């Protein structure tokens, strides 16, 4: 008997860890009962001496037959995840997945007999496939669950399209990329190859226009497929850009891919859009530099910033001067990242403020509102600056409840003599709103006072603003929920 061991309750309340490699590489490709057996066996490993750690208990707990459970463990043994030490009685040992990945797995010769023959025929007269190379192919097929015929098709296509002799590392790189895209059957591989071949005419035209003499490679075909199908560029756009590079003696497929990817990120998809961007390139880059300087930032390359921030802002219709003003006020209010500035830019866009005229109008409106609120506080005998809560209250009174200045002025007259005038003002306006009162005459009938004389209220018509006022108002905009 073991000196120390876990209680059944302890095991039941603890955790069973499942390696992510199992979830990613094995679980998607195996039937559910096999997964049940593997996970339940892993759980039972936590308490090997338990009375229910037996084949009979497995059958009862999982509602499966002995043959099905033994078959499941035999499957996992072929995958290298367990080792069946004996079958009568059955005894299984779980193997760490890190050991599975680093071990040289043994494969049944008959399983890959046809594959071996077809693979060697592809390289006939060029080179022999080594035992190591075969094992790499087997390991790939087992881990990625690709059909053998599918890998043979990929090998053949790679050999036919590559102008020089290729090694198995190149073939497996292509196969992994396709498998990661979900291309694992012979039918799917055939469709992928067909899509590559369908763009053969475009590649021929592209190479002819740029003076490329070699045959198109698999990478070339993948790129043209990405540009036309994934990105959605018209071939005329691709050809136009390629010709411009060729005039500058800078054309390579890699360089063209880099530029097209950047245009795609900025959603410049037509020749006209791209030409307009190129004409403005210098001013756009200068704008990015000025914004970075204002925010206190430095980037060695501006391409990513322009793609992710500057161009989207300009595409929203923002004046460059408005963006610079926003950058300055971001810095003054301790917003000193592009992400932070982007949030403020989006708020201004939702407010419809993208030009200097709109900005000036909005700022003057905010100043007028603050001036009006300041006069209200003064009439109530409150001597302090306008704050966010004041603005929210005023917005509720005038926009949500639609009260006019006249009715608010009457409420001020009532509240000015109270101990907590601002609270009373808000309360009386709320009461009137609940009763459906919408005019000063109705308010006076509902809440009369003996002395109806109200001090004349001043009207603010707008004025120019100082930098300090603007900074304060920008800060107030950050508090606005849109």
């Amino acid at each position: 008997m073991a000196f120390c061991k876990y209680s059944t309750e302890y095991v039941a309340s603890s955790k069973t860890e499942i390696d992510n490699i199992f979830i990613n590489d094995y679980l998607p490709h195996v039937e559910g009962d096999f997964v049940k057996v593997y996970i339940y066996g892993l759980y039972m490993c936590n308490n090997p001496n338990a009375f229910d750690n037996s084949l009979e208990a497995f059958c009862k707990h999982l509602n499966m037959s002995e043959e099905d459970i033994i078959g499941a463990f035999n499957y996992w043994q072929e995958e290298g995840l367990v080792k069946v030490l004996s079958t009568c009685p059955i005894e299984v040992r779980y193997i760490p997945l890190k050991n599975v990945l680093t071990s040289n797995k043994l494969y049944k010769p008959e399983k890959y007999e046809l594959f071996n023959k077809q693979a060697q025929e592809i390289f006939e007269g060029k080179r022999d496939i080594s035992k190591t190379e075969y094992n790499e192919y087997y390991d790939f097929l087992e881990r990625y669950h690709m059909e053998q015929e599918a890998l043979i098709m990929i090998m053949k296509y790679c050999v036919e399209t590559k102008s020089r002799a290729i090694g198995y590392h190149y073939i497996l790189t292509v196969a992994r990329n396709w498998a990661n895209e979900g291309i694992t059957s012979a039918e799917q591989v055939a469709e992928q190859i067909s899509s590559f071949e369908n763009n053969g005419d475009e590649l021929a035209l592209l190479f002819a226009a740029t003076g490329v003499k070699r045959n198109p490679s698999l990478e070339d075909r993948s790129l043209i497929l990405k540009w036309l199908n994934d990105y959605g560029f018209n071939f005329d756009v691709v050809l136009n850009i390629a010709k411009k590079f060729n005039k500058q003696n800078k054309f390579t497929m890699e360089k063209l891919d880099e530029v097209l990817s950047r245009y795609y990120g900025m959603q410049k998809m037509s020749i006209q859009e791209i030409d307009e961007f190129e004409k403005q390139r210098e001013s756009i880059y200068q704008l990015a530099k000025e914004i970075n300087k204002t925010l206190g930032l430095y980037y060695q390359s501006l391409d990513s910033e322009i793609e992710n921030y500057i161009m989207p802002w300009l595409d929203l219709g923002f004046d460059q001067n408005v963006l610079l003003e926003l950058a300055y006020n971001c810095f003054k209010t301790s917003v000193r990242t592009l992400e932070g500035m982007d949030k403020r830019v989006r708020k201004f866009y939702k407010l419809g403020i993208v030009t200097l005229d709109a900005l000036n109008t909005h700022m003057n409106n905010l100043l007028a509102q603050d001036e009006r609120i300041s006069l209200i506080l003064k009439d109530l005998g409150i001597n302090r600056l306008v704050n966010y809560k004041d603005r929210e209250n005023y917005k509720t009174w005038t926009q949500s409840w639609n009260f006019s200045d006249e009715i608010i002025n009457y409420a001020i007259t009532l509240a000015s003599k109270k101990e907590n005038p601002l609270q009373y003002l808000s309360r009386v306006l709320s009461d009137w709103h609940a009763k459906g009162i919408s005019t000063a005459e109705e308010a006076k009938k509902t809440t009369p006072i003996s002395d109806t004389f109200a001090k004349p209220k001043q009207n603010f018509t707008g004025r120019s603003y100082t930098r300090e006022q603007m900074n304060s108002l920008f800060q107030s905009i950050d508090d606005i929920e849109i």
Side-chain angles (χ1 to χ4, degrees):
M1 179 180 293
F3 175 62
C4 294
K5 64 179 182 180
Y6 292 126
S7 69
T8 303
E9 294 80 8
Y10 184 94
V11 173
S13 63
S14 61
K15 298 178 181 178
T16 299
E17 292 188 358
I18 301 176
D19 200 300
N20 287 336
I21 297 172
F22 176 83
I23 296 173
N24 187 65
D25 292 354
Y26 295 94
L27 186 146
H29 310 290
V30 65
E31 61 181 76
D33 283 347
F34 285 10
V35 176
K36 284 165 55 177
V37 170
Y38 179 84
I39 294 177
Y40 189 68
L42 198 63
Y43 162 72
M44 293 308 300
C45 287
N46 289 317
N47 195 12
N49 298 322
F51 71 91
D52 58 349
N53 192 353
S54 65
L55 180 58
E56 182 181 358
F58 260 62
C59 294
K60 183 177 180 181
H61 199 82
L62 299 181
N63 194 26
M64 295 173 62
S65 67
E66 290 186 3
E67 292 77 11
D68 287 342
I69 290 175
I70 293 172
F73 278 124
N74 284 333
Y75 170 82
W76 291 120
Q77 179 172 242
E78 287 186 10
E79 292 292 319
L81 274 62
V82 304
K83 187 173 183 180
V84 179
L85 300 180
S86 68
T87 56
C88 190
I90 187 168
E91 186 177 356
V92 179
R93 291 290 180 271
Y94 276 67
I95 299 171
L97 288 186
K98 64 178 181 180
N99 293 3
V100 176
L101 296 179
T102 57
S103 64
N104 292 322
K105 188 176 177 181
L106 297 178
Y107 300 96
K108 296 179 180 179
E110 62 272 15
K111 185 175 182 179
Y112 292 102
E113 185 176 352
L114 179 60
F115 174 84
N116 294 347
K117 180 181 177 182
Q118 292 175 331
Q120 186 58 68
E121 287 175 353
I122 295 173
F123 294 99
E124 199 64 50
K126 297 180 180 179
R127 65 177 178 84
D128 291 331
I129 300 177
S130 67
K131 183 178 179 180
T132 300
E133 182 175 349
Y134 274 127
N135 280 330
E136 290 287 343
Y137 292 141
Y138 304 156
D139 181 67
F140 168 79
L141 289 168
E142 297 284 337
R143 288 196 62 195
Y144 286 85
H145 299 271
M146 179 177 278
E147 294 178 3
Q148 294 183 24
E149 185 183 355
L151 181 55
I152 289 293
M153 294 171 68
I154 291 174
M155 294 169 67
K156 186 176 181 181
Y157 191 66
C158 288
V159 170
E160 289 176 349
T161 56
K162 202 73 172 174
S163 57
R164 55 182 175 80
I166 60 171
Y168 68 87
H169 292 291
Y170 175 83
I171 293 172
L172 288 176
T173 297
V174 174
R176 288 190 192 97
N177 289 339
W178 289 15
N180 288 331
E181 295 175 12
I183 303 172
T184 56
S185 69
E187 182 181 358
Q188 291 169 325
V189 169
E191 290 177 359
Q192 179 80 336
I193 292 174
S194 176
S195 65
F196 281 179
E197 294 301 318
N198 288 339
N199 293 313
D201 292 341
E202 284 87 351
L203 266 175
L205 288 172
L206 181 64
F207 279 16
T210 53
V212 177
K213 303 299 182 184
R214 60 178 174 79
N215 292 326
S217 67
L218 189 62
E219 291 84 357
D220 298 328
R221 297 176 189 276
S222 296
L223 288 175
I224 195 74
L225 195 65
K226 180 173 75 170
W227 301 335
L228 301 183
N229 291 7
D230 296 346
Y231 287 175
F233 280 108
N234 187 287
F235 179 68
D236 290 339
V237 176
V238 176
L239 191 61
N240 180 273
I241 298 171
K243 287 179 179 178
K244 290 180 180 179
F245 276 123
N246 194 47
K247 289 181 180 179
Q248 302 168 2
N249 296 321
K250 293 181 179 180
F251 175 80
T252 64
M253 290 292 282
E254 294 75 16
K255 182 66 176 177
L256 183 57
D257 180 54
E258 177 186 335
V259 172
L260 287 172
S261 296
R262 188 161 65 245
Y263 287 148
Y264 174 73
M266 296 184 291
Q267 284 300 290
K268 304 300 178 187
M269 304 297 292
S270 69
I271 293 175
Q272 180 182 1
E273 290 172 328
I274 291 170
D275 287 344
E276 289 176 355
F277 168 77
E278 291 299 330
K279 289 177 183 177
Q280 301 172 17
R281 173 188 288 271
E282 187 59 37
S283 65
I284 292 171
Y285 273 78
Q286 187 59 40
L287 173 63
K289 291 178 182 178
E290 288 295 328
I291 289 175
N292 289 343
K293 181 180 179 181
T294 302
L295 294 176
L297 304 174
Y298 173 76
Y299 295 100
Q300 188 171 3
S301 174
L302 298 175
D303 289 337
S304 178
E305 175 183 347
I306 289 173
E307 177 181 334
N308 295 312
Y309 295 104
I310 306 299
M311 286 309 304
W313 294 342
L314 293 175
D315 287 341
L316 290 175
F318 277 91
D319 287 350
Q320 293 195 16
N321 288 331
V322 173
L323 292 175
L324 290 172
E325 190 66 51
L326 283 169
Y328 175 83
N329 283 278
C330 282
F331 178 81
K332 296 297 289 186
T333 53
S334 300
V335 178
R336 299 177 184 178
T337 65
L338 291 170
E339 293 83 357
M341 179 172 169
D342 183 60
K343 291 179 181 178
R344 182 166 289 181
V345 168
R346 300 290 169 174
K347 284 191 174 185
F348 270 73
Y349 177 71
K350 288 182 179 181
L351 290 171
I353 305 169
V354 297
T355 65
L356 278 177
D357 286 343
L359 177 63
N360 289 333
T361 299
H362 186 75
M363 298 308 293
N364 277 319
N365 288 340
L366 287 178
L367 282 168
Q369 176 182 284
D370 270 24
E371 182 80 4
R372 170 67 176 133
I373 297 171
S374 180
L375 292 173
I376 290 174
L377 295 176
K378 184 177 179 181
D379 289 335
L380 293 173
I382 300 172
N383 185 23
R384 62 168 172 78
L385 296 175
V386 176
N387 61 32
Y388 167 69
K389 186 64 177 177
D390 298 329
R391 297 185 184 102
E392 283 297 294
N393 287 337
Y394 188 77
K395 181 179 177 181
T396 299
W397 303 336
T398 58
Q399 296 183 26
S400 299
W401 298 349
N402 294 317
F403 284 140
S404 65
D405 282 347
E406 185 181 8
I407 197 170
I408 293 174
N409 287 342
Y410 179 67
I412 292 171
T413 304
L414 297 174
S416 62
K417 300 177 181 179
K418 303 298 180 180
E419 184 176 349
N420 295 305
L422 191 57
Q423 293 179 11
Y424 183 86
L425 174 63
S426 182
R427 187 164 58 249
V428 74
L429 289 173
S430 176
D431 180 61
W432 291 346
H433 173 67
K435 293 177 179 178
I437 294 171
S438 59
T439 66
E441 287 72 18
E442 292 173 336
K444 290 174 182 179
K445 291 178 181 179
T446 304
T447 315
I449 57 174
S450 56
D451 182 8
T452 57
F453 174 77
K455 290 180 287 186
K457 304 301 182 293
Q458 303 178 43
N459 293 320
F460 183 76
T461 59
R463 63 161 187 257
S464 60
Y465 46 87
T466 66
R467 176 70 75 179
E468 288 72 21
Q469 289 173 317
M470 191 171 185
N471 289 339
S472 173
L473 290 169
F474 266 86
Q475 184 68 55
S476 73
I477 289 175
D478 282 343
D479 296 330
I480 296 175
E481 293 292 337
I482 301 174

